[in-house]
């Protein structure tokens, strides 16, 4: 009961103080508003629907990394991290022109399929490595956008 009364008095006193004094106070609470005090940014946050499909695909890949890490699926998380890494590398190399994520995924799939063929064509065939490359390609195919 006394605590409630003290809190009411505290809020009433703050309302009477000038704004400049309230801003310098160490224990002042932020003024209530509709917008959050700190904007929240997250790599796994889904972008707005009005953004381009490449940004949506990149967000989907980053969300896939997060889910793979939660599931302790090292294969999926490693493959998806390689895509994000390639995307960041292309952003640094080409300046403002960034490679499309869908093109990076298709190139990575083709690269892994070619590597699997090379492992099978080797003199002592390496089926274990070929199967590993095919598993990685299958993971990437799930993130490839469907052709219309």
């Amino acid at each position: 009961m006394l605590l409630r009364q003290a809190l009411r008095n505290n809020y009433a006193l703050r309302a009477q103080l000038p704004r400049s004094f309230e801003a310098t106070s160490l224990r002042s609470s932020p003024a209530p508003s509709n917008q959050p005090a700190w904007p929240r940014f997250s790599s796994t946050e889904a972008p707005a629907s009005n953004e381009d499909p490449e940004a949506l695909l990149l967000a989907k890949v980053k969300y896939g990394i997060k889910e793979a890490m939660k599931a302790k699926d090292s294969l999926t998380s490693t493959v998806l991290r390689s895509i994000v890494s390639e995307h960041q590398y292309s952003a640094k190399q080409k300046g403002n022109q960034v490679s499309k994520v869908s093109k990076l995924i298709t190139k990575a799939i083709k690269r892994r399929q070619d590597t699997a063929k090379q492992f099978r064509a080797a003199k002592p065939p390496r089926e274990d490595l070929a199967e590993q490359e095919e598993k990685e390609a299958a993971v990437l195919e799930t993130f490839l956008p469907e052709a219309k």
Side-chain angles (χ1 to χ4, degrees), residues 22-92:
E22 185 178 345
T24 59
S25 174
L26 292 176
R27 294 190 174 215
S28 65
S29 63
S33 66
N34 292 341
Q35 294 181 343
W38 297 96
R40 293 179 163 248
F41 296 105
S42 173
S43 62
T44 59
E45 203 171 87
S49 61
N50 59 356
E51 289 189 25
D52 63 326
E54 293 298 319
L56 291 172
L57 183 59
L58 183 62
K60 183 179 174 185
V61 168
K62 288 181 178 181
Y63 183 75
I65 293 171
K66 181 180 175 183
E67 291 300 312
M69 289 173 64
K70 284 181 181 177
K72 297 186 181 186
D73 184 6
S74 63
L75 173 77
T76 305
S77 64
T78 304
V79 171
L80 295 180
R81 282 181 183 180
S82 71
I83 295 298
V84 173
S85 175
E86 288 178 30
H87 182 262
Q88 291 174 347
Y89 180 75
S90 70
K92 289 181 182 178

Side-chain angles (χ1 to χ4, degrees), residues 1 3 12 17-18 20 23 35 38 42 71-72 85 94 99 109 113 120-121 126 138 142 146:
M1 186 73 149
L3 181 62
L17 291 176
S20 61
Q35 294 181 343
W38 297 96
S42 173
K72 297 186 181 186
S85 175
K94 296 182 181 179
S99 294
I109 291 171
Q113 289 171 347
R120 286 202 172 91
R126 297 293 308 263
T142 61
E146 290 140 15

